[in-house]
Amino acid sequence: MGPVDQRTIDWNDGAVVIVDQCALPGAHRKLRLETVTELIDAIQRLAIRGAPALGAAGALGVALAARRHEHASDVEREAERLAQARPTAVNLAWGVRRALAKLPSGASAVLDEALSLLDEDEKLCRQASGHAAELILRECARRPLRLLTHCNAGRLATVSWGTALGVVWHLHAAGQVEYVLVDETRPLLQGARLTAWELAEVGVPYRVLPDVAAASAIARGLVDCVVVGADRIAANGDVANKVGTYGLALAAARHRIPFVVVAPSSTVDAATPSGELIEIEERAADEVTTWGGVRTAPAGAPVFNPAFDVTPAELVTAVVTEHGPG
Ligand code: MRU
């Protein structure tokens, strides 16, 4: 059994329609985005987020621009703004470039390309996570498996299936999952809000834990394997993913459990030789200094709020794409 067969992002009657991830888990509602400016705002607020979903957003955004503007230079300007909406996930610029390449053939060719990218995303995520599930069954002796994941790499982070959670869907269908430990994922709680919601939807047993409890859960032998997604994988195999991932990789290495990264090959950035060259998005201070609208740090407290970190390749057991373990 996998996630509900519903797209996180799609095209409907001239607009991009997304599941509003800022509203979950309280409300499941959709947003209709009719301009590139609205789409950029949704991306920056994380109403649509996760590397593969951002690739789809990039491509569909170019389709919006191509319908609206007559001159190629205007579409290209909008595409550039969109590609820069968030810097770390390489999929966003990749999706923009792929759709933009069809502009000389007209707006409907751009839309067709974007829609085929969406179809592919589901297929490639299913394949990548299927390969990763097989790898984990080979690497881990214990049955059923106890997995730990970080952030949200589920259907909400992709068009409709997921990467790290895609692995869970495959293993759960085979009766091989005892539970998933879900890092809450400070400061925006993608784990607590979104991953927990997806696991509950499918009926997979899980527990949410504070990020700071993950290392001790691993040390206490409560985890057989850590499985995460990625925002950009450098040519040397270094992996940028949600901040906190690097610490998990260190703990996994120290306690000799596999640390598996699952992503479609659109997340691999051959043009970036190594992880230190990946731009890490820094987000607003109030994400760290407030809690539910209430200030939790002194007024004006200086903040370090990187949205991602880089895990060196040597700590990664395998990067698994649709082509299998790399
Ligand atoms: O800031 P976010 O929520 O967009 O960060 C998302 C992640 O870090 C995911 O782990 C990554 O994009 C992989 S999603 C399949």
Side-chain angles (χ1 to χ4, degrees):
M1 200 193 345
V4 171
D5 188 17
Q6 213 182 74
R7 284 187 162 180
T8 299
I9 178 163
D10 212 343
W11 180 264
N12 184 266
D13 194 21
V16 179
V17 176
I18 61 166
V19 174
D20 179 2
Q21 299 188 41
C22 295
L24 284 168
H28 184 273
R29 64 172 181 236
K30 297 206 169 176
L31 291 179
R32 192 177 158 81
L33 310 168
E34 298 187 353
T35 65
V36 169
T37 298
E38 287 174 3
L39 181 58
I40 289 173
D41 175 61
I43 289 171
Q44 292 178 337
R45 291 187 300 110
L46 308 198
I48 180 77
R49 48 148 297 282
L54 290 176
L60 290 173
V62 178
L64 278 181
R67 277 169 61 96
R68 203 178 179 90
H69 299 287
E70 210 175 302
H71 300 294
S73 58
D74 292 330
V75 179
E76 283 158 10
R77 202 190 55 246
E78 292 280 81
E80 189 52 32
R81 268 191 335 121
L82 184 55
Q84 289 179 7
R86 291 187 79 191
T88 305
V90 69
N91 308 61
L92 176 58
W94 168 84
V96 166
R97 272 199 313 274
R98 192 168 141 175
L100 197 57
K102 298 289 176 187
L103 190 59
S105 307
S108 59
V110 171
L111 178 58
D112 287 347
E113 183 68 4
L115 293 175
S116 61
L117 184 153
L118 266 63
D119 292 341
E120 273 171 34
D121 184 73
E122 172 167 9
K123 195 176 93 202
L124 300 185
C125 286
R126 271 183 195 267
Q127 284 172 356
S129 55
H131 290 308
E134 285 166 18
L135 175 98
I136 291 169
L137 288 170
R138 283 199 301 278
E139 292 279 325
C140 303
R142 194 180 188 281
R143 299 286 184 273
L145 290 156
R146 300 156 315 159
L147 305 167
L148 185 144
T149 193
H150 190 68
C151 194
N152 171 266
R155 78 169 166 98
L156 292 168
T158 64
V159 172
S160 64
W161 177 258
T163 59
L165 283 193
V167 176
V168 174
W169 313 141
H170 285 297
L171 292 172
H172 176 65
Q176 301 288 9
V177 178
E178 182 172 334
Y179 58 70
V180 181
L181 290 184
V182 178
D183 271 2
E184 64 173 347
T185 316
R186 284 274 298 150
L188 296 178
L189 306 178
Q190 289 93 332
R193 293 189 302 107
L194 307 175
T195 297
W197 183 81
E198 286 198 47
L199 291 166
E201 186 182 47
V202 178
V204 179
Y206 71 90
R207 278 191 288 173
V208 178
L209 69 165
D211 302 342
V212 287
S216 65
I218 292 170
R220 285 168 58 181
L222 300 177
V223 181
D224 301 309
C225 180
V226 176
V227 57
V228 295
D231 286 85
R232 188 182 296 239
I233 300 162
N236 71 344
D238 292 349
V239 173
N241 191 47
K242 179 54 57 193
V243 66
T245 302
Y246 174 43
L248 290 177
L250 287 170
R254 171 68 177 78
H255 297 283
R256 297 191 165 79
I257 62 168
F259 177 88
V260 176
V261 175
V262 192
S265 58
S266 51
T267 308
V268 178
D269 178 13
T272 297
S274 64
E276 75 265 16
L277 298 168
I278 297 174
E279 184 180 346
I280 300 295
E281 176 184 3
E282 296 239 0
R283 293 187 59 86
D286 64 359
E287 291 181 355
V288 178
T289 57
T290 60
W291 185 256
V294 176
R295 199 166 68 218
T296 56
V303 162
F304 175 52
N305 185 20
F308 303 95
D309 61 24
V310 175
T311 299
E314 70 197 65
L315 294 178
V316 179
T317 306
V319 169
V320 187
T321 69
E322 68 274 14
H323 306 302

